[in-house]
Amino acid sequence: MLYAAMQSMILSLALGFALWQLWGRLAPQLRASQQRRLALALMSPASPRWLNRLGWRLMPSVDSACGSGCSRCGTCPTA
């Protein structure tokens, strides 16, 4: 029973990570805006300190928009 639960949890985490990466490749601007929205919700003044720190870590960088030349996702055209 415990083995099945652990296996399901690990598989779910791996699938979630893979989908997150795929979403970043297919729609980087959409992912950045959703990530920014989540980070701002976590950084509300009423949140505990650890949630504020998590929000700061989740905040996307300024150059994460498509076309900025960051070459993180591999979808930007090369010159």
Side-chain angles (χ1 to χ4, degrees):
M1 181 73 172
L2 180 63
Y3 177 74
M6 186 67 88
Q7 181 181 4
S8 296
M9 185 180 70
I10 291 172
L11 218 63
S12 298
L13 288 174
L15 181 62
F17 181 74
L19 288 174
W20 179 258
Q21 293 297 320
L22 180 67
W23 188 28
R25 284 188 178 260
L26 296 178
Q29 289 178 332
L30 180 63
R31 184 177 86 168
S33 69
Q34 295 295 323
Q35 189 173 350
R36 186 177 305 109
R37 184 179 296 163
L38 175 64
L40 289 174
L42 290 175
M43 291 189 299
S44 72
S47 301
R49 188 173 179 177
W50 67 274
L51 275 179
N52 283 325
R53 286 189 296 229
L54 180 63
W56 279 107
R57 289 187 58 108
L58 286 177
M59 185 64 77
S61 61
V62 176
D63 63 349
S64 65
C66 193
S68 65
C70 67
S71 72
R72 282 191 207 141
C73 62
T75 58
C76 294
T78 56

